[in-house]
Every structure is written in structure tokens, then in C-alpha cells.
Amino acid sequence: AEARAALAEARDRLARDAVPPPPPKARNRPDPAFEAAYLARERLAKEGAELLDRWAPVIEARALVAEGKAAQALPLAQGVTLDEPRLRADLMNAVRAGLPAAEQAKLPAPAQLPTRHDLLARLPKSIVLAFLMESLPQAERAEDLPRYKAGAVSAWSGWDIDPRTDGVKVTFRHNGTAPAAVEEMALLRAAEAALAAGKPGMVVLDRKDLRQMLVQTYNGVPTGAATPAGFSTELEVRFVDAASGGGGDGYGGGWRVLDAAAVRAALAPAYPARTAER
């Protein structure tokens, strides 16, 4: 029952998020960036709906097996189209186990599914260790996080803010922290700028994330391998009068609008020593 409810909720949420934006006023030209964002959202919503359709028979078959209705679950399990061999085999084995012996005999032999332990046991320890280290998050300490302070962007670190008519372009670059921290610092600076301008909401119109690499050259010719030299994020932000959920100057019922105060409240504690505009 919970899985069915979760699937229904996912469909409803997907439908709500894909609602077309309100038509532009006659005197206003359509915003190309806004239209592109909606088209991308519409495409993703379609792909999401197709994926939910492919998962639906899996969820329903599992629920029927749990209810003791394996015979009803069998055609659903046989029609699963997900490209997940282990999932399909596990589902068929569960359905088979709930059928009478006479019905089980009519089906192909149950699949023998190797466990995760079996798969790992076949690999050299060096490869297992490499997989483990790759899966771990990048170590990050509070003292290593960049400080939120004013300063023009240099070759290595700092942020820059370029005022626009109704917003800002914020750039933040740092050579000694994770890309997520760089992204958050840029968003925090944009939120501070929105609040300083008396605007409770903001819309990210464009975003660029870059990874810097350092290459040594001799007479313009690289002399060695490139080494990581930090990350940068550039945000093109428009300020709006409504916070999230409040309309947002025609931005699709607010689904693109970020609450600037909420952004600051969430991110400011992580980046101390900031000289915020008030």
C-alpha cells in the first residue's frame, strides 16, 4: 500500500511541476531563457512519466505478491521492461514462490542471483578498495571552507558581483574547496544581494560551473599533465517581488523562485566571517 501511494504521489508531483507557465502579457515579449527552462522541464517531466510507467508494474506485482495474489502478479512481472536483469529475476523468483507447485513447474527455472558479497569476492582486493575510496564523499572540514568576504575574483579565489537592471551576475571561484561549496557560496551571495535590494525572491536565469586546471608550459607547449586548480560558479540572477510559492512575477506560480531569506538562513551558518549586506 505504501509503495502504491508513493507512486501515485510521484505522479501527482510530476504533473504539478509540469504545469505550463502563465502566458506572457500582450505588451511583454516572451523571455527566451524562461521558455527554454520550461521546455527543458517539460522534457524531463515526460521522461519522468515514462520511467514511472516502467516501474508501475514492478510495484504492483510486488504488492500483489505481498497480498498472496501471485497469479495476478505473474503477467505483470513477465511484462516488466526495465533494463535491470537482477530486478526482473528477483521479481520473478518472488512471484514463483507464491504460486502452486503445478504452476511453478510451467515456468523457467528460477534465476540464481549472486549476492553483492559473491560479486565482491571475485574481485582483487585492490579493485574493491579502489571502488570503496571512489564511493566515499570528498573529505571536507569546517576550517577548509572558504570565508564569505568581499573581494574581486582573482586567478585563484574570491567572488565578484556585477549589477544588472533587475538582478546581478555573481561569480565565485576557489582553488581549495569542493565544487558544492563554491556553488553554495555563489548562491548565498546572490541571496544577500537580493535582500539588500529589498527583493524577497530571486530566479536563477543561467548558471555556469567550471573546473580550473593548471598546466605548465614552455614556449606555449604543455610540459606535463594538468593538475586540478579549483572550481568556479557563475550565476545570472533576477530579483523578484515574491518569495517561493507566491507567484514570482509570472514565473510559473513560483516554482522557479527561491526565497532569498531562506537561502541565507540555510547557507550562512556554513560560511562564517561573512560581510553581508543588510
Side-chain angles (χ1 to χ4, degrees):
E2 292 181 2
R4 288 168 174 156
L7 178 62
E9 181 183 354
R11 290 189 186 279
D12 290 342
R13 186 167 63 249
L14 193 62
R16 290 196 304 270
D17 289 345
V19 172
K25 297 179 181 179
R27 64 178 181 275
N28 294 338
R29 294 182 179 179
D31 187 336
F34 180 39
E35 290 184 344
Y38 172 69
L39 291 176
R41 193 180 187 89
E42 188 178 46
R43 184 185 71 253
L44 292 175
K46 180 180 178 181
E47 294 174 358
E50 292 173 352
L51 185 59
L52 290 177
D53 288 341
R54 295 169 66 187
W55 272 99
V58 177
I59 294 172
E60 183 62 22
R62 275 292 187 181
L64 290 172
V65 169
E67 295 169 356
K69 302 175 182 177
Q72 297 180 34
L74 179 59
L76 292 174
Q78 292 173 328
V80 170
T81 59
L82 285 172
D83 187 19
E84 298 286 347
R86 285 180 55 82
L87 182 146
R88 296 200 306 269
D90 182 65
L91 179 60
M92 282 300 300
N93 287 347
V95 172
R96 173 195 299 276
L99 294 173
E103 295 299 323
Q104 292 185 23
K106 300 177 182 179
L107 298 175
Q112 299 298 320
L113 301 177
T115 65
R116 181 179 178 84
H117 177 76
D118 294 335
L119 295 175
L120 292 176
R122 301 173 188 174
L123 296 175
K125 290 184 178 180
S126 59
I127 295 180
V128 175
L129 182 60
F131 283 153
L132 173 62
M133 297 305 295
E134 184 69 23
S135 65
L136 294 176
Q138 181 177 352
E140 191 71 272
R141 302 177 302 171
E143 54 267 31
D144 294 333
L145 290 174
R147 300 298 179 182
Y148 186 81
K149 58 184 179 180
V153 172
S154 67
W156 304 110
S157 62
W159 58 258
D160 189 22
I161 185 165
D162 184 10
R164 296 289 197 262
T165 302
D166 52 0
V168 292
K169 182 176 77 171
V170 175
T171 303
F172 185 78
R173 177 184 298 143
H174 202 275
N175 68 329
T177 192
V182 173
E183 296 163 7
E184 290 181 347
M185 288 285 281
L187 190 62
L188 174 58
R189 187 66 189 91
E192 292 282 8
L195 294 174
K199 298 290 187 177
M202 61 181 187
V203 177
V204 177
L205 301 178
D206 192 22
R207 165 183 165 183
K208 297 177 182 177
D209 297 318
L210 298 176
R211 179 181 182 182
Q212 276 80 237
M213 304 297 290
L214 182 63
V215 180
Q216 292 184 339
T217 62
Y218 180 76
N219 289 335
V221 179
T223 59
T227 57
F231 302 89
S232 69
T233 289
E234 178 183 295
L235 300 179
E236 189 80 29
V237 178
R238 177 174 296 173
F239 301 153
V240 295
D241 289 321
S244 58
D249 294 357
Y251 280 93
W255 59 263
R256 291 186 65 194
V257 181
L258 299 176
D259 186 327
V263 171
R264 182 175 64 180
L267 297 180
Y271 303 98
R274 57 192 177 90
T275 55
E277 296 178 22
R278 300 295 183 187

